[in-house]
Amino acid sequence: MLPVARAVVDVLSGRTGGPAALATVIGRSGSAPQVVGARLLLREDGVQVGTVGGGAIEEQVLDACRASLRDGSPRVVKAHLVRDLGMCCGGAMEVFVEYLAPEARLVLIGAGHVAQAVAPVAAGVGFRVVVVDDREDLLEHPAFAGAERHARDVDELELAVPDLGERDYVVILTRDHARDERALAHLVRRPHRYLGMIGSVRKVHAIVARVLRREQELGRPLPDLSRVRAPVGIALGGRTPAEIAISIVAELLADRHGGTGAAMNVVPQALARLGAPASTVAEGREGDARDDR
């Protein structure tokens, strides 16, 4: 069991770089090759750790693991070992297969006030936080206590995060526009799932124009900006670092779970179905405010 447990931790922490499928024997009757609780883990790269008994039953479970790796869905394998699989054992087994995804990684380029607000919020919703800044004193801030920290400037991002991949989220929050621009110019050509940059609308327009113009002058094809979000975050109207952090993490969650960021309110539709007047919505809100007091 220990090797499988270690393999699960490696997958969830992102050390192996990809997802895995975990199969657990949850039912057993008669003569069967493994006990309830036996586990097998199959990584995306084909590495297998543990066993649920070998032979035809294990091959069927491995097929289910491969299917879970393709679609991310759990499944249950039930088989009578003689009747269904032609094995000499006379019992039956039931195996639960679940999909394990590595904890999403969020790389913060910059360790200033907004990054200090973002880091604990992002960690609280399941992101593994990495912070890159050349100011070592800021990296010691308590907000980054659980984060991976790299004392590097934006010109050293290749050294700070050499393994940036297609599942990674990156947010640029440096202390000046020139660094933001250099970071964006470098990161748009590296793998990522999400790339955000803080700043005003005017700043974003100027930086994007300069980055694209420089690429054209160098004779290179224009980079893919389809996953770039700038200004970063959902429009919540906040101004403080804590408010901006909530806006940024909200957009990260929307991307991770396929959400839109729109309000979920369905009261108007509920009232319409009941034939109630539209003014009831506003009246209901006033009543709630009185109750809150």
Side-chain angles (χ1 to χ4, degrees):
M1 295 298 293
L2 189 57
V4 177
R6 286 172 175 158
V8 169
V9 171
D10 286 343
V11 169
L12 295 179
S13 65
R15 283 196 286 268
T16 57
L22 177 65
T24 305
V25 178
I26 59 173
R28 174 183 182 271
S29 62
S31 177
Q34 267 292 8
V35 297
V36 171
R39 289 185 171 90
L40 173 157
L41 181 135
L42 181 68
R43 289 190 345 211
E44 186 181 43
D45 60 7
V47 172
Q48 176 183 333
V49 182
T51 180
V52 291
I57 181 63
E58 184 153 300
E59 191 54 43
Q60 189 169 358
V61 169
L62 287 170
D63 285 342
C65 288
R66 296 183 189 103
S68 286
L69 284 170
R70 286 193 298 271
D71 62 22
S73 300
R75 45 202 14 100
V76 175
V77 176
K78 296 181 180 179
H80 188 280
L81 303 182
V82 175
R83 184 176 61 249
D84 300 330
L85 301 176
M87 297 177 68
C88 60
C89 304
M93 289 178 65
E94 185 174 359
V95 182
F96 175 63
V97 176
E98 58 188 308
Y99 179 81
L100 301 181
E103 193 175 38
R105 182 168 65 165
L106 170 62
V107 181
L108 300 177
I109 312 300
H113 295 301
V114 175
Q116 292 165 15
V118 168
V121 178
V125 296
F127 284 94
R128 180 164 54 95
V129 179
V130 178
V131 188
V132 181
D133 200 300
D134 61 321
R135 298 168 292 179
E136 296 188 33
D137 57 324
L138 290 185
L139 292 176
E140 296 303 316
H141 192 281
F144 305 134
E148 179 183 329
R149 291 165 281 183
H150 298 279
R152 301 277 187 179
D153 207 344
V154 293
D155 298 317
E156 303 172 294
L157 293 178
E158 191 81 51
L159 296 173
V161 197
D163 59 341
L164 201 64
E166 295 289 346
R167 294 185 178 89
D168 291 323
Y169 294 75
V170 187
V171 178
I172 301 169
L173 306 159
T174 78
R175 60 187 179 273
D176 60 60
H177 292 192
R179 279 183 169 81
D180 286 348
E181 183 175 333
R182 299 205 304 274
L184 182 66
H186 172 77
L187 291 165
V188 290
R189 292 203 169 275
R190 294 190 61 193
H192 58 270
R193 171 165 175 166
Y194 169 107
L195 175 57
M197 182 180 70
I198 199 169
S200 66
V201 171
R202 183 177 179 180
K203 166 191 165 180
V204 171
H205 278 284
I207 287 179
V208 169
R210 285 197 295 268
V211 168
L212 294 182
R213 185 168 60 248
R214 190 176 302 114
E215 293 296 306
Q216 289 177 319
E217 291 170 351
L218 292 171
R220 299 195 297 209
L222 296 181
D224 177 14
L225 302 180
S226 62
R227 288 171 290 178
V228 177
R229 304 289 185 269
V232 65
I234 290 175
L236 302 180
R239 297 287 183 180
T240 68
E243 291 170 332
I244 294 169
I246 291 171
S247 166
I248 292 172
V249 176
E251 187 170 73
L252 298 178
L253 288 175
D255 181 90
R256 188 168 76 181
H257 297 300
T260 65
M264 295 187 292
N265 179 31
V266 296
V267 171
Q269 294 93 312
L271 292 173
R273 290 183 64 183
L274 295 170
S279 59
T280 308
V281 178
E283 292 167 2
R285 286 176 181 164
E286 291 172 3
D288 289 343
R290 286 192 295 273
D291 291 341
D292 289 342
R293 289 196 295 271

